[in-house]
Amino acid sequence: MNGSKKIVNALKQLVIILTAAILTILITQDYLLPITPLRELELKLIDKRFSERGIVDLGDSSDVIIVEITQDAYDQIPPPYNRWSWPRFVFAKVINNLTNAGAKAIGIDINFTNEDQWSPSNDSLMYQSILNSRKVVLSGKIDIESERLLEENKSYIKNLKENFGNYFYHVDSSIGIVQVPADNDGVFRRYLPYVKSNLMNKLIPSFGFAVLNKFYNLPKDFTAIRHDEFFQINGRLIPQFDKNSILINFYGPSGTFPRVKLIDVLDDKEFKTIDELEIGEDLNTWDNPDGGLLYTNKFKDKIVLIGSTMPEDRDILPISFAKGKQKGDNLIYGVEFHANIIQNVIRGDFLYKQSNLSEILLIILLTTFSFVITSLLRKVKLHLGLLIELLNIIIIGLSIYLFYRLSVFYFIEKKLVIAIVSPSLALIVGYFSSTAYHFLRERQQNVLIKGMFSHYVSNTVVNELISNPDKLKLGGEKKNLTIMFSDIANFTTFAEKKQPEELVSFINQFLSEMSEIIIANDGTLDKYLGDAVMAFWGAPVEVPDHAYKACLTALQMQNRLAQLREIWTNKTESSIYIRIGINSGEVIVGNIGGEKRFDYTVLGDNVNLASRLEGANKEYGTSIMISESTYELVKDKFLVRYLDVVRVKGKTKPTAVYELINELGDKKAQEAFENMDFYFQGIELYKHKYFEEALDYFKRSYEKLKDYPSKVYMNRCEFYLSNPPDDNWDGVFELKTK
């Protein structure tokens, strides 16, 4: 017997371990259930590993040199050109000089959106420089607005020729898209090999990869080939971080790559700087035979990126790598950002992401380890249970720290990015699963009592009262909620055909099914009124989309009842139908009653209106009726049909009422809605007292749909044709019954 009990307990523990592991997998794997805070934490831990690794000194081995636009250029270019934007002959000369110096590829991280403001001849010079060099890549951007318009209307922008925001695109079309994706926390860690342009109906290489095309002598519009886990360019396999991007292996903070000032490349024997003009002597930092940059071979076979390193140009990106000395020291210039991915590809300095399968197996292993270790400790017979828990917490904390150190080692030594959040969470969930398991065993009696109590009030109320005992006091508060009443149509006739035992069994099954749907949609089950159900959304816990949840619940209740009718019909059971009324508004909610017995419920006119709407369905032959206040909250999410403006018994203010049909997107419901065109035309005529014309449309609607609301309005039109209303008639219908 004991052996059987041990086996049962072992199986229970195994089920708990697997459940805990599956739960951890569900909340940590982006492709299953993406949770933004956990993803952001994982990304922050990648940043932390960069800090642990430190700067990678490129030195003279760097394949990328940055020609930076600094204040010196503005200070040294003679007037009137010493302000932005410079004439294009400046860039033409820089291109020519770098090409003559043996640069293998030249990327210009500047958008030349329009023609030269000084002279068309400057554009001609730059045009010729690009054409002669054949090594230049210009930066471009995808026009997001045009792409969106094209997606919405395929005939739009038919004749528009895209140049990706660069005036010189058509010189040799070597364009690289500079737009890069930021993660949810605003940090730039990833790089896209290419971008899809719907306007051009093609893939466009990103800036860094367009530069690599020049470096590797590939076609100018070549895009990296995508495989299951890699991107491929020039025989190199670049590991994917996700299906569209690469994780950049940053070498260091701003200033890691060698820089040369643009003015020093520009200052050759043909160009006169302000200093040269003032002192009357040529300096020629570029082609001076005594140490000029041209003769240092600094640029030979190198990739040269030209871009601004001036903060005022705002081309600054926060990245994974931070110096860690002060807030905001993880910023680099856009041109440096592109330099990192280019250098990664050339040197093969790739970061590899742990496979999903190995991460899942690790989660299962660590969940088991945590559960077993903490369970074994709890078996130690110590009087101080708190000490056991403290030891367990120390073990779990130490395990998480050791795992983090292991991840840092693999990052630095193997360039492998191991997940930290999911394994850490596996250890924590394993600990709490063990805690819950032992707590449940020791507190089984208390759980049984709570379970019995939960049969009478909702679990939401129970948990709220446990967390906030003060709510047990009498009193209430005003809140905006959504209230729902549901009742079985013609229940009296149905009940007369059944024996009491059969009726009770039937009602129990029906109410159980409906209650489960209410609670599953965050509703608070208020009470049963015979065969009727009352529920509300938004208290005791907040439900931001309470009207949506209530309407969704009503539709699900009707759908479930339709399924039950098929089952009951097969058992020769009579078919039943329910009517539902829903209203949203301010009510009093709280514990109402006497000192010894009270219920958590809602009171107020808006509660009464919901009840009246449930009964009003009978007048219109509908199954779900919602008020105007509810309609305003859900009109963008559901298909609804305008029914009438009514004044319910006991209220002076009228309200518009609507029939809830289905959620938006349901094709059958949409088709049914579109077939109501005669009905809606009749409604408009009816409102303007064109009863004869309205009657014709309602007849056509009824013949087409066999639609009961159309029949209701047919009868009204016939009545008003015989008994015309007075001039003050406002179209409001008085509901005489409750």
Side-chain angles (χ1 to χ4, degrees):
M1 194 70 180
N2 288 335
S4 299
K5 190 174 181 179
K6 287 182 178 179
I7 292 173
V8 171
N9 286 335
L11 289 174
K12 286 181 179 179
Q13 292 181 45
L14 180 60
V15 169
I16 291 172
I17 290 170
L18 291 176
T19 302
I22 291 170
L23 176 63
T24 305
I25 292 167
L26 284 173
I27 64 178
T28 57
Q29 302 304 296
D30 287 345
Y31 54 89
L32 294 175
L33 182 64
I35 298 178
T36 299
L38 293 181
R39 175 166 175 77
E40 289 183 1
L41 177 58
E42 190 69 72
L43 293 172
K44 293 294 185 187
L45 290 169
I46 293 176
D47 302 351
K48 181 67 176 173
R49 278 169 275 188
F50 274 109
S51 299
E52 294 265 6
R53 187 205 66 189
I55 299 172
V56 176
D57 185 14
L58 294 171
D60 294 332
S61 66
S62 174
D63 294 285
V64 181
I65 297 175
I66 294 172
V67 170
E68 59 178 338
I69 297 172
T70 63
Q71 187 60 44
D72 300 62
Y74 291 92
D75 294 340
Q76 290 300 318
I77 294 177
Y81 306 125
N82 57 338
R83 61 183 177 85
W84 194 258
S85 67
W86 296 325
R88 301 287 160 75
F89 73 75
V90 169
F91 296 98
K93 181 172 283 294
V94 169
I95 292 170
N96 291 338
N97 287 346
L98 291 173
T99 303
N100 292 334
K104 204 166 184 181
I106 303 168
I108 305 179
D109 188 14
I110 301 167
N111 279 25
F112 301 101
T113 54
N114 299 302
E115 63 269 19
D116 188 279
Q117 67 172 350
W118 303 99
S119 170
S121 63
N122 291 326
D123 284 333
S124 298
L125 288 172
M126 186 163 178
Y127 183 102
Q128 198 60 48
S129 295
I130 295 171
L131 203 60
N132 292 340
S133 174
R134 293 295 182 182
K135 298 178 180 180
V136 177
V137 172
L138 300 172
S139 66
K141 289 186 177 181
I142 294 289
D143 186 344
I144 303 299
E145 182 63 16
S146 295
E147 296 280 339
R148 183 185 66 79
L149 290 171
L150 180 66
E151 190 65 26
E152 293 176 357
N153 183 358
K154 297 298 183 183
S155 65
Y156 187 79
I157 324 177
K158 277 184 178 178
N159 300 318
L160 180 62
K161 293 183 178 179
E162 175 65 272
N163 65 1
F164 300 101
N166 204 302
Y167 182 75
F168 296 97
Y169 171 75
H170 298 290
V171 178
D172 76 341
S173 304
S174 291
I175 284 286
I177 303 301
V178 293
Q179 291 149 306
V180 290
D183 291 312
N184 292 335
D185 57 358
V187 177
F188 293 80
R189 302 178 178 88
R190 298 175 293 121
Y191 204 90
L192 302 177
Y194 48 74
V195 179
K196 174 69 181 295
S197 171
N198 294 319
L199 199 59
M200 299 290 284
N201 193 29
K202 63 185 293 189
L203 299 177
I204 309 298
S206 56
F207 184 74
F209 279 75
V211 171
L212 287 166
N213 286 344
K214 291 291 185 182
F215 184 78
Y216 290 128
N217 294 317
L218 296 171
K220 58 194 174 188
D221 58 351
F222 175 83
T223 54
I225 301 168
R226 178 178 165 186
H227 300 285
D228 287 341
E229 297 179 358
F230 297 89
F231 296 103
Q232 183 178 353
I233 181 172
N234 198 49
R236 291 190 178 275
L237 296 178
I238 308 169
Q240 297 176 2
F241 184 64
D242 57 38
K243 64 180 182 179
N244 295 315
S245 66
I246 303 158
L247 185 64
I248 300 177
N249 186 6
F250 293 100
Y251 294 98
S254 182
T256 300
F257 284 85
R259 298 183 186 179
V260 174
K261 293 180 180 180
L262 181 136
I263 190 63
D264 292 337
V265 178
L266 182 63
D267 182 20
D268 59 15
K269 61 186 178 183
E270 298 173 358
F271 186 89
K272 301 298 181 183
T273 65
I274 288 179
D275 285 348
E276 290 173 331
L277 292 172
E278 288 179 350
I279 65 175
E281 180 180 347
D282 289 342
L283 301 176
N284 301 343
T285 55
W286 176 252
D287 55 3
N288 189 326
D290 299 323
L293 286 170
L294 175 62
Y295 302 102
T296 62
N297 286 328
K298 187 178 185 70
F299 299 97
K300 186 172 178 57
D301 296 326
K302 299 288 186 179
I303 289 174
V304 181
L305 301 183
I306 303 171
S308 173
T309 56
M310 298 178 65
E312 52 265 44
D313 286 339
R314 299 180 182 179
D315 188 17
I316 302 176
L317 306 175
I319 63 166
S320 284
F321 197 102
K323 296 177 183 177
K325 295 180 180 179
Q326 61 185 18
K327 186 177 180 180
D329 64 0
N330 66 328
L331 301 176
I332 67 171
Y333 295 99
V335 68
E336 295 176 299
F337 185 85
H338 299 296
N340 275 277
I341 189 64
I342 293 171
Q343 190 67 65
N344 283 175
V345 174
I346 293 174
R347 289 179 50 164
D349 286 334
F350 305 128
L351 292 176
Y352 294 83
K353 185 183 178 184
Q354 178 186 16
S355 70
N356 293 328
L357 178 59
S358 66
E359 184 179 350
I360 289 171
L361 292 175
L362 189 60
I363 289 171
I364 296 172
L365 177 64
L366 292 179
T367 305
T368 305
F369 168 81
S370 177
F371 185 96
V372 171
I373 292 297
T374 55
S375 294
L376 288 174
L377 265 178
R378 290 191 175 97
K379 292 182 179 179
V380 178
K381 302 299 182 181
L382 290 177
H383 294 293
L384 298 175
L386 186 60
L387 179 60
I388 294 176
E389 292 309 312
L390 182 60
L391 287 172
N392 276 332
I393 291 170
I394 291 172
I395 289 173
I396 297 303
L398 185 60
S399 299
I400 291 173
Y401 176 74
L402 290 175
F403 188 83
Y404 170 74
R405 297 313 312 173
L406 182 67
S407 72
V408 172
F409 169 81
Y410 274 98
F411 182 83
I412 296 173
E413 299 300 326
K414 306 295 183 182
K415 296 186 178 66
L416 179 62
V417 180
I418 299 175
I420 297 177
V421 171
S422 55
S424 300
L425 200 58
L427 290 165
I428 294 170
V429 172
Y431 162 75
F432 281 111
S433 299
S434 171
T435 303
Y437 173 74
H438 289 278
F439 175 81
L440 290 174
R441 290 189 64 187
E442 295 171 2
R443 306 295 180 182
Q444 190 172 9
Q445 187 62 41
N446 290 345
V447 173
L448 178 62
I449 293 171
K450 181 181 177 181
M452 293 175 63
F453 184 62
S454 294
H455 282 90
Y456 298 95
V457 297
S458 73
N459 287 333
T460 305
V461 175
V462 173
N463 293 332
E464 185 72 6
L465 294 179
I466 290 172
S467 302
N468 302 285
D470 291 340
K471 286 186 177 285
L472 288 171
K473 296 178 182 178
L474 293 178
E477 60 180 329
K478 286 185 177 181
K479 294 190 76 173
N480 272 295
L481 309 178
T482 296
I483 308 97
M484 182 185 79
F485 281 83
S486 163
D487 200 2
I488 297 177
N490 302 316
F491 180 73
T492 303
T493 304
F494 175 82
E496 288 174 351
K497 300 176 182 179
K498 289 190 171 293
Q499 295 297 320
E501 297 82 3
E502 292 177 317
L503 184 61
V504 170
S505 176
F506 176 86
I507 288 297
N508 285 344
Q509 181 185 2
F510 168 78
L511 292 178
S512 176
E513 293 279 352
M514 299 301 105
S515 300
E516 285 181 10
I517 296 171
I518 292 169
I519 294 172
N521 285 297
D522 301 327
T524 299
L525 187 61
D526 189 302
K527 59 177 68 72
Y528 301 125
L529 304 168
D531 61 297
V533 179
M534 175 184 173
F536 54 87
W537 281 259
V541 293
E542 294 289 337
V543 180
D545 52 348
H546 51 83
Y548 169 77
K549 288 288 183 68
C551 291
L552 186 64
T553 300
L555 291 170
Q556 291 178 0
M557 288 170 66
Q558 293 287 5
N559 290 336
R560 180 55 183 155
L561 183 59
Q563 296 172 356
L564 291 173
R565 277 197 297 269
E566 292 184 7
I567 297 172
W568 292 333
T569 301
N570 293 335
K571 295 181 178 180
T572 67
E573 190 70 71
S574 300
S575 297
I576 66 166
Y577 297 86
I578 60 173
R579 296 187 289 256
I580 298 174
I582 299 174
N583 181 40
S584 304
E586 189 173 79
V587 298
I588 302 297
V589 59
N591 294 294
I592 313 298
E595 288 288 342
K596 293 185 178 180
R597 178 175 176 81
F598 48 84
D599 293 319
Y600 190 85
T601 188
V602 289
L603 297 173
D605 285 343
N606 282 307
V607 179
N608 297 333
L609 178 57
S611 176
R612 299 290 188 273
L613 295 184
E614 178 274 316
N617 280 289
K618 187 175 182 180
E619 180 73 28
Y620 298 89
T622 52
S623 58
I624 305 174
M625 185 179 293
I626 66 174
S627 68
E628 186 173 9
S629 57
T630 301
Y631 166 75
E632 290 298 329
L633 295 173
V634 303
K635 60 185 178 182
D636 295 329
K637 299 178 181 178
F638 293 93
L639 281 173
V640 297
R641 169 167 57 163
Y642 170 85
L643 289 174
D644 207 351
V645 177
V646 302
R647 186 180 290 110
V648 301
K649 189 173 182 180
K651 294 196 74 172
T652 57
K653 185 179 179 181
T655 180
V657 293
Y658 300 81
E659 179 188 13
L660 182 65
I661 299 175
N662 211 328
E663 285 190 275
L664 288 174
D666 184 275
K667 291 184 178 179
K668 289 185 177 179
Q670 184 65 43
E671 290 173 1
F673 185 83
E674 291 170 358
N675 283 330
M676 296 177 183
D677 52 340
F678 290 146
Y679 172 85
F680 291 120
Q681 292 177 70
I683 287 291
E684 288 302 312
L685 292 166
Y686 175 84
K687 288 179 180 179
H688 292 87
K689 297 196 288 188
Y690 298 125
F691 300 117
E692 186 172 352
E693 293 85 350
L695 176 60
D696 179 63
Y697 276 102
F698 288 128
K699 283 181 177 179
R700 291 158 69 183
S701 176
Y702 183 72
E703 290 170 1
K704 181 180 181 181
L705 305 174
K706 300 303 178 187
D707 184 43
Y708 195 87
S710 297
K711 188 175 182 180
V712 170
Y713 276 100
M714 285 168 56
N715 294 335
R716 285 195 200 171
C717 289
E718 290 172 351
F719 175 82
Y720 285 130
L721 286 171
S722 302
N723 304 276
D726 57 34
D727 293 337
N728 296 324
W729 182 75
D730 57 4
V732 175
F733 182 75
E734 298 279 348
L735 287 175
K736 303 298 183 183
T737 61
K738 293 186 178 181

